[in-house]
Amino acid sequence: MSKGPDVLKTFKYGMPIYGLAWPAGDVFYICGGGGSTASGIKNRLVMAQGKAGGLSDQVADFNFGSNCPMRLAVTPDSRSIVFAMGTGGLRRLDVNPAAEAPKPAEVSDALQARMSQVKGEVKSLAFNASGTLLALGGDDGSLAVHEWPSMDVKMNLSGDRKLKDSVKDVDFSTAEGSTAVAAVLDNGSLELWDWESGRLLSRLERPKGHQFKSDRVIMMSSSTHTMLQQLPAGMEAVSFSRVKFARDGTGRMLTLLNNRSGCFVGSWVPRTDGMVGMVALHASVRASEQPGGCFDVSADGSKVAVGDPEGGVVVLRSQPLLVLRRAAKCHMVFTTAVAFSPDGLHLLSTSADASVTLTSTLPQSPSSRM
């Protein structure tokens, strides 16, 4: 299938792309590469511009040598970028966002030494809304929260306290006064932790066992309560894949869930019946008949995006949850990351085929979404 009119621009940047961020302004950040130097493909950070419905060539880059940056997170003030590296550990680069031509620069040995305390492969990372905390999820099941930029440890679940599987996604709650951080595990469960006390608030998972007569439920448990959340038809045997909190002050937790019939977006809200740390499913919708692999929420919390393994993207409204538009075959292979523009009017998507695609997020006619 050819790319439709909703795909405004596609540009190739010469490397498989794994990480993506679009903070305030026109400049976005992508990272990736070929891994070992034998591949001949450089392992880089690339900075480029997205504006006026188009994409620029790179405006700056940084070469990481033989170590490929697999994931990245940018501080809310756009001054620092943290990378999860292919061989494990973290790297930090700083940027002056006010410069006429922003360029990434290595930090001092003392600052980089703070990052070196993190060992092993980091599978997920996220800053909180104020940029004062950094959450890290490990391939080994570790979950840590660090103060930023000191990297002092606020919570460290490792060793005997590590989680039951690799941590594939993390995000901080945006509810007022909340000290919760969410983690999605490779086994399809989601856990909410209090990073201040190091206490498990709740776990959401698909129940197992013959005593559960329906597979259209999620089991939610805390230290004091266990309950079942009924799910709509079609959401049988779903597993959590991604999590993001809406940055609109509501505390809504938006999740990507997969099962054999495709992917769904669920909107969860904190319970108000005294069950502290527990959430309730407020709304859900099927996003695609394909499984969802990557996920983002716009800065104002009004839109959600999903990338699929066929190179397509889906844009949804978050309240009420409904599909706004679909763009199939934005890439030749699977979509690796999606990110909204700061104003939410466009969506960037990336792929291992080295492409970045810019798509409109304005609603399509119903016939175009079929």
Side-chain angles (χ1 to χ4, degrees):
M1 183 183 297
S2 62
K3 296 176 184 175
D6 304 313
V7 175
L8 302 179
K9 181 72 173 179
T10 295
F11 200 97
K12 291 209 170 187
Y13 291 92
M15 63 187 186
I17 301 168
Y18 305 117
L20 166 66
W22 194 348
D26 295 330
V27 176
F28 63 87
Y29 305 78
I30 55 175
C31 69
S36 69
T37 53
S39 70
I41 301 173
K42 294 179 180 179
N43 300 307
R44 298 185 296 153
L45 162 72
V46 169
M47 300 167 62
Q49 291 182 316
K51 61 181 180 180
L55 298 173
S56 76
D57 200 344
Q58 69 180 55
V59 297
D61 73 341
F62 183 89
N63 193 329
F64 287 95
S66 61
N67 198 355
C68 181
M70 300 298 295
R71 301 159 195 92
L72 62 83
V74 180
T75 54
D77 63 7
S78 303
R79 293 184 176 277
S80 295
I81 315 166
V82 178
F83 302 86
M85 305 304 294
T87 58
L90 302 174
R91 286 284 300 272
R92 170 182 169 179
L93 297 176
D94 281 357
V95 177
N96 179 3
E100 184 175 343
K103 292 184 178 181
E106 291 192 82
V107 297
S108 68
D109 290 344
L111 289 176
Q112 188 57 46
R114 298 179 188 177
M115 316 302 291
S116 65
Q117 65 182 283
V118 177
K119 310 294 184 184
E121 182 183 353
V122 176
K123 289 196 70 172
S124 52
L125 65 168
F127 285 99
N128 67 344
S130 63
T132 57
L133 297 171
L134 173 64
L136 304 174
D139 182 62
D140 62 353
S142 59
L143 175 64
V145 172
H146 298 263
E147 290 184 347
W148 183 265
S150 69
M151 291 299 289
D152 291 341
V153 177
K154 297 291 290 184
M155 181 182 77
N156 184 16
L157 304 178
S158 60
D160 293 341
R161 296 197 66 200
K162 67 183 181 181
L163 310 190
K164 295 179 179 179
D165 208 340
S166 299
V167 181
K168 67 187 298 184
D169 204 10
V170 291
D171 200 23
F172 287 94
S173 170
T174 57
E176 185 176 357
S178 175
T179 53
V181 61
V184 173
L185 278 62
D186 269 345
N187 64 14
S189 65
L190 184 150
E191 297 185 2
L192 288 164
W193 287 82
D194 185 326
W195 55 260
E196 199 165 61
S197 67
R199 179 172 61 92
L200 176 66
L201 298 173
S202 59
R203 178 181 291 115
L204 286 69
E205 59 189 335
R206 189 173 74 198
K208 298 177 177 65
H210 65 275
Q211 69 270 32
F212 297 102
K213 300 185 183 302
S214 171
D215 59 359
R216 194 150 48 83
V217 293
I218 289 289
M219 185 169 68
M220 299 187 293
S221 57
S222 69
S223 60
T224 56
H225 298 89
T226 297
M227 61 184 299
L228 295 178
Q229 170 71 62
Q230 299 296 321
L231 301 175
M235 293 185 69
E236 292 81 6
V238 291
S239 297
F240 289 94
S241 177
R242 303 289 172 187
V243 61
K244 295 281 184 186
F245 285 88
R247 299 288 199 260
D248 57 3
T250 63
R252 287 180 300 137
M253 183 176 74
L254 294 156
T255 61
L256 178 63
L257 304 104
N258 290 327
N259 67 7
R260 286 179 295 180
S261 65
C263 67
F264 303 80
V265 174
S267 177
W268 306 76
V269 295
R271 296 188 69 92
T272 58
D273 53 7
M275 295 186 184
V276 178
M278 301 282 274
V279 294
L281 182 64
H282 174 67
S284 63
V285 67
R286 182 195 297 273
S288 173
E289 294 181 355
Q290 300 287 337
C294 49
F295 189 58
D296 194 32
V297 177
S298 63
D300 64 1
S302 67
K303 294 173 184 173
V304 179
V306 177
D308 68 39
E310 299 295 324
V313 298
V314 182
V315 179
L316 305 94
R317 180 179 294 146
S318 70
Q319 283 190 309
L321 266 175
L322 55 87
V323 174
L324 293 177
R325 61 172 49 238
R326 304 180 191 276
K329 301 292 184 182
C330 296
H331 309 278
M332 295 175 63
V333 296
F334 57 94
T335 306
T336 54
V338 289
F340 284 97
S341 61
D343 61 10
L345 295 179
H346 296 95
L347 180 75
L348 278 181
S349 58
T350 63
S351 175
D353 68 2
S355 65
V356 173
T357 293
L358 187 71
T359 307
S360 170
T361 64
L362 296 178
Q364 286 171 316
S365 65
S367 60
S368 299
R369 295 198 295 267
M370 300 302 289

